[in-house]
Amino acid sequence: MERVSTGVEGLDRMLNGGLIKGRTYLVKGCPGAGKTILSILFLLDGAKRGENVLFISLAEGVDEIRENMNYLGLDVSGIEFIDASPTGDKTIFGDLFFTSFDIDTQGFKSMLEARFDKSAPSRLVIDSITMLRVSAKSEMEYRRDLLSLIGMFKRFNVTTFLTSDIYEKNVEDYLVSGVIELHMIDIKGKILRGVRIAKMRGIEFDDTMRPYKIVKGGMEVYSDLSLFEER
Ligand SMILES: Nc1ncnc2c1ncn2[C@@H]1O[C@H](COP(=O)(O)OP(=O)(O)O)[C@@H](O)[C@H]1O
Ligand SMILES: [Mg+2]
């Protein structure tokens, strides 16, 4: 099975060489944890290898994301962005996509499918999946739609990151091939950041929480350090 780098060396080490191509992964963490940054690094790694990579923003405006990434010193010109945030350019996906502010996942899927038929990216980020969840009419509907979305990504061999700011285990945890959690832990007023792989099908992985930092140029994962002193 072909492996795909996450764009972060230390995280690749935790994954014994990277993710499996064509599968869908969930990146979880509270706001500010670094989900968008990790997602961008994943796409930049593909762009660096000459791949087509696509970032779909369902929450934040794309201009803001570009600004934040530039501030971090990341050149995102190799990434294609689609702004599907509520304030974004609603014409990109046509009428299919938006009925006022809510998103219907079936419509989202058929639009993406039409686009992939013409040119499928090799890597995709949907930031964040929470927007699809809140717009679903029921848990059943959400599960069915998400499953068919993940199936489509597999058919087109697109390695995908979905981001989520919900910590509890949810439908999506069960449907994806792997879950990467970005934790921010308050210890006496000091925030410790830790990355943990909660699930990863088909890969022998490091299940210890490892410290990570957001730095100029991206993210560093210290795969040989433990967040907590082991005794
Ligand atoms: N130049 C920087 N140096 C250190 N940390 C930064 C820098 N720029 C942003 N950050 C950190 O990155 C976080 C935002 O990352 P982001 O990927 O947008 O989080 P999320 O998508 O999970 O909400 C901020 O909370 C901040 O702590
Ligand atoms: Mg974000």
Side-chain angles (χ1 to χ4, degrees):
M1 272 180 296
E2 197 180 331
R3 301 292 276 265
V4 177
S5 168
T6 59
V8 177
E9 262 178 57
L11 190 53
D12 286 347
R13 279 195 294 273
M14 290 176 72
L15 290 162
N16 269 310
L19 303 160
I20 295 174
K21 188 167 168 54
R23 294 191 174 183
T24 296
Y25 299 95
L26 185 65
V27 177
K28 288 169 85 164
C30 59
K35 302 179 296 296
T36 302
I37 293 170
L38 174 59
S39 300
I40 291 284
L41 292 169
F42 164 65
L43 294 184
L44 281 179
D45 181 81
K48 195 179 72 191
R49 298 166 202 262
E51 300 172 12
N52 289 324
V53 298
L54 177 61
F55 187 104
I56 300 177
S57 181
L58 294 180
E60 243 179 313
V62 162
D63 289 342
E64 199 177 318
I65 295 176
R66 279 212 181 88
E67 267 171 33
N68 293 343
M69 296 308 136
N70 285 337
Y71 181 69
L72 265 182
L74 298 171
D75 173 11
V76 294
S77 57
I79 299 176
E80 182 188 350
F81 286 91
I82 291 180
D83 194 333
S85 67
T87 53
D89 183 355
K90 297 184 185 81
T91 60
I92 295 170
F93 280 146
D95 301 334
L96 247 184
F97 192 46
F98 280 101
T99 45
S100 72
F101 275 0
D102 53 12
I103 295 164
D104 116 63
T105 307
Q106 278 300 327
F108 182 68
K109 190 195 161 212
S110 34
M111 221 173 38
L112 270 183
E113 198 158 16
R115 153 70 210 251
F116 286 4
D117 272 330
K118 277 184 250 150
S119 89
S122 78
R123 303 186 193 205
L124 169 71
V125 169
I126 300 177
D127 188 21
S128 79
I129 200 76
T130 313
M131 290 297 278
L132 295 179
R133 159 176 274 280
V134 295
S135 69
K137 287 180 197 72
S138 67
E139 182 94 355
M140 280 287 279
E141 183 188 274
Y142 178 64
R143 170 186 282 271
R144 189 198 58 212
D145 290 351
L146 196 58
L147 198 57
S148 82
L149 210 51
I150 290 170
M152 182 185 79
F153 298 152
K154 194 173 193 71
R155 258 194 341 275
F156 284 95
N157 205 19
V158 185
T159 315
T160 302
F161 275 18
L162 309 174
T163 71
S164 164
D165 16 57
I166 299 171
Y167 261 124
E168 314 93 77
K169 271 218 174 16
N170 266 309
V171 187
E172 51 267 21
D173 291 76
Y174 298 102
L175 300 184
V176 295
S177 296
V179 179
I180 299 167
E181 296 174 349
L182 297 175
H183 290 266
M184 294 206 288
I185 303 158
D186 187 334
I187 307 267
K188 294 179 189 149
K190 195 170 178 285
I191 302 291
L192 292 182
R193 292 175 184 268
V195 56
R196 192 172 83 91
I197 298 168
K199 154 181 172 174
M200 203 50 69
R201 290 187 191 137
I203 295 176
E204 246 185 75
F205 62 93
D206 172 7
D207 62 2
T208 307
M209 193 185 288
R210 304 293 182 184
Y212 74 94
K213 263 191 194 155
I214 294 168
V215 292
K216 268 248 164 333
M219 183 180 280
E220 277 170 11
V221 171
Y222 305 96
S223 61
D224 49 352
L225 298 179
S226 158
L227 196 62
F228 300 104
E229 207 68 53
E230 282 171 72
R231 283 172 208 279

